[in-house]
Amino acid sequence: MGEEIGGILPPEAIAYQEDRHYVYLSHDSLQFNPTDSSVFFDELNDQVIVYRNPHFFVLSFHGNKMDDIDLSYQNSHENIVGAKCSPDGHCLAIRYSFRNLELVNLLTLEAITLTPKKWPQANVFDVFWTQLENHEIILATSNGLEFLQMKKGEFKTKLVTHKSVSKASWVKYNAEENIIVVGGNQQGNSLHIFQLSASNIIQYPKFDIDVAHKNTVIDQKNVVICRLYTVLCCLHIDTTNKKLIVYRVYKEGVSRSPQEIDLYSENVSISIVDNILVLHNIDTKLSMIYDLKIPKFPFLNPLPLYLPPSSLKEYNEKTKQE
């Protein structure tokens, strides 16, 4: 939740509302019909890619204005599970399945198959673009990470390096911090964190998320990697005990914070705004605000999330007709 599409209301705006709210969603909200649209968030470019057979569209937000760009690439494939654009917008990576991926040059419409080079038989969980020339594309596979580079003057990729992760089961990417988190072993609770830079790849110490039972499986949606007050943190939504656990990650090691936040629900979402944690209880539709430097949890009373009516009805009707 950034400034463009939502945020924390300033005091004068809170006072103006008939019902008080700390957090609001943008007036420019979008609604998609799941029967005819596949929607993917592109974390590097901070945009949404929509596939409505056979067209691809890019929706990006700039202030209060939304740009709608047709990628001019048509694909009649019915099952698309992921799509992301390169930083310059010239290439599109498409995932059809764990084993079927494609890289498309949007300037020439040339397409090539994208397959793991170190581990050809591995499943690919996701594909990430970076803005680093020495490893532009990252394939997150069941055996670990493969870092690829586009060959200069050619529409081909080459393997630069790789990082092995035993029994990788999920992956998350924080594009703003250039950090990748891979959940290893069958439970997905063994975390491998990698920091990318122009010169090298820093691997933080591996650590295990505490689980209530030996058969507990960690869902990637319940893990958030972020930076709070300059410290890299891993947040775990413990749905069994209904608590938020904070791990502080350093190059020397990882420490679990003694502070635990009661969630009161299994159905929780997290937003981060200026070092502040905003926890949204989906069941009660309340938002709670936390500051890890303030021992009182939460330091403000819970208030409902403000949901303004959408102002994009005409846009939604137009796209349904296309």
Side-chain angles (χ1 to χ4, degrees):
M1 183 178 295
E3 291 185 3
E4 308 90 353
I5 59 175
I8 296 180
L9 289 170
E12 61 271 18
I14 293 177
Y16 179 77
Q17 297 294 336
E18 181 178 352
D19 294 318
R20 295 186 63 199
H21 309 274
Y22 298 130
V23 184
Y24 69 98
L25 294 182
S26 167
H27 287 267
D28 294 339
S29 59
L30 290 173
Q31 296 181 6
F32 301 96
N33 186 343
T35 62
D36 68 356
S37 301
S38 297
V39 183
F40 312 105
F41 180 62
D42 185 346
E43 55 275 289
L44 178 64
N45 299 301
D46 197 21
Q47 62 190 12
V48 174
I49 297 178
V50 181
Y51 175 67
R52 184 173 291 115
N53 193 345
H55 298 280
F56 283 92
F57 299 90
V58 169
L59 307 179
S60 58
F61 294 86
H62 302 284
N64 293 325
K65 180 184 177 183
M66 186 193 69
D67 294 331
D68 174 12
I69 305 171
D70 189 336
L71 292 182
S72 300
Y73 174 70
Q74 296 189 15
N75 187 319
S76 59
H77 204 290
E78 294 183 0
N79 185 30
I80 291 181
V81 297
K84 294 176 184 177
C85 281
S86 60
D88 59 12
H90 294 167
C91 294
L92 180 67
I94 305 172
R95 286 192 302 124
Y96 303 105
S97 68
F98 286 135
R99 295 288 184 90
N100 189 0
L101 299 91
E102 192 173 55
L103 195 61
V104 180
N105 185 328
L106 296 175
L107 300 179
T108 64
L109 301 185
E110 180 184 359
I112 60 173
T113 301
L114 190 59
T115 57
K117 300 182 183 300
K118 174 64 178 178
W119 303 292
Q121 301 304 316
N123 289 333
V124 179
F125 297 125
D126 212 337
V127 180
F128 303 107
W129 293 92
T130 78
Q131 299 193 46
L132 306 173
E133 291 185 1
N134 54 340
H135 32 256
E136 299 168 272
I137 304 174
I138 303 172
L139 295 184
T141 79
S142 53
N143 287 354
L145 303 175
E146 292 193 11
F147 299 85
L148 309 180
Q149 186 180 47
M150 299 293 294
K151 291 185 177 180
K152 294 187 180 299
E154 299 181 74
F155 189 54
K156 294 180 179 179
T157 62
K158 66 176 183 179
L159 179 67
V160 177
T161 187
H162 68 278
K163 295 292 182 180
S164 298
V165 176
S166 177
K167 299 179 181 178
S169 55
W170 57 263
V171 63
K172 298 197 79 168
Y173 177 44
N174 183 323
E176 184 177 355
E177 297 288 344
N178 265 333
I179 287 178
I180 295 179
V181 183
V182 183
N185 78 34
Q186 293 179 345
Q187 292 174 276
N189 71 316
S190 181
L191 300 197
H192 304 251
I193 300 179
F194 303 89
Q195 172 87 59
L196 311 182
S197 70
S199 57
N200 61 0
I201 301 169
I202 299 172
Q203 184 168 357
Y204 287 89
K206 182 187 72 171
F207 70 100
D208 291 344
I209 288 179
D210 297 328
V211 293
H213 308 288
K214 64 179 182 179
N215 294 326
T216 300
V217 176
I218 300 298
D219 192 322
Q220 68 179 67
K221 70 179 182 181
N222 292 327
V223 177
V224 176
I225 191 75
C226 62
R227 196 173 294 277
L228 299 173
Y229 295 108
T230 72
V231 177
L232 185 64
C233 294
C234 178
L235 312 179
H236 172 226
I237 300 174
D238 184 346
T239 56
T240 301
N241 298 307
K242 299 180 182 178
K243 291 182 179 294
L244 180 70
I245 312 300
V246 180
Y247 297 88
R248 291 182 171 88
V249 183
Y250 305 95
K251 294 179 181 178
E252 301 79 18
V254 178
S255 65
R256 173 172 170 164
S257 172
Q259 298 170 311
E260 296 181 357
I261 299 176
D262 291 320
L263 300 178
Y264 309 105
S265 172
E266 299 178 6
N267 198 7
V268 174
S269 177
I270 298 178
S271 299
I272 300 168
V273 182
D274 297 334
N275 299 312
I276 299 297
L277 297 180
V278 186
L279 271 60
H280 311 286
N281 188 315
I282 309 302
D283 298 325
T284 63
K285 298 180 173 58
L286 291 176
S287 296
M288 297 176 286
I289 296 180
Y290 298 85
D291 186 337
L292 295 182
K293 286 193 173 184
I294 299 178
K296 179 186 177 182
F297 284 166
F299 68 87
L300 291 172
N301 292 329
L303 288 178
L305 180 70
Y306 177 55
L307 303 173
S310 173
S311 61
L312 293 181
K313 291 183 179 179
E314 293 183 2
Y315 171 82
N316 290 328
E317 291 299 325
K318 181 192 73 172
T319 55
K320 285 181 181 179
Q321 295 172 3
E322 293 177 346

